[in-house]
């Protein structure tokens, strides 16, 4: 299960970055959604391996992803 969180987070994070790098406003919200899902997976991964630094980082990234997702709706 731990490996699934790690790989899911990694793949979704890369997908989110790719969609944002395309610089297409219609795809931006999907890029931020990819980041959001990646953040949740990596939070579960950090909890599973008991790494508080990674957990705090991913919680911070979760809030930036929420902000990006919200702003892409405007």
């Amino acid at each position: 299960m731990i490996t699934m969180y790690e790989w899911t987070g990694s793949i979704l994070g890369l997908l989110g970055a790719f969609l944002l790098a395309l610089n297409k406003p219609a795809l931006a919200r999907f890029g931020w959604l990819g980041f959001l899902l990646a953040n949740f997976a990596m939070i579960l991964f950090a909890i599973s391996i008991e790494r508080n630094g990674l957990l705090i980082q991913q919680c911070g990234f979760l809030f930036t992803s929420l902000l990006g997702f919200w702003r892409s709706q405007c």
Side-chain angles (χ1 to χ4, degrees):
M1 195 66 149
I2 293 172
T3 302
M4 183 184 75
Y5 297 145
E6 180 183 18
W7 281 103
T8 300
S10 296
I11 291 167
L12 288 171
L14 287 170
L15 178 63
F18 175 76
L19 289 172
L20 287 177
L22 290 174
N23 199 25
K24 302 282 186 189
L27 296 177
R29 70 180 138 187
F30 296 110
W32 289 112
L33 182 60
F35 279 147
L36 275 171
L37 296 173
N39 296 142
F40 283 120
M42 295 305 281
I43 285 169
L44 292 173
F45 176 65
I47 291 169
S48 299
I49 63 170
E50 300 177 359
R51 293 293 176 234
N52 293 330
L54 179 61
L55 177 60
I56 296 299
Q57 179 187 45
Q58 290 303 315
C59 288
F61 285 158
L62 176 69
F63 288 111
T64 62
S65 296
L66 285 168
L67 179 60
F69 185 74
W70 178 71
R71 289 187 47 86
S72 71
Q73 301 295 319
C74 298

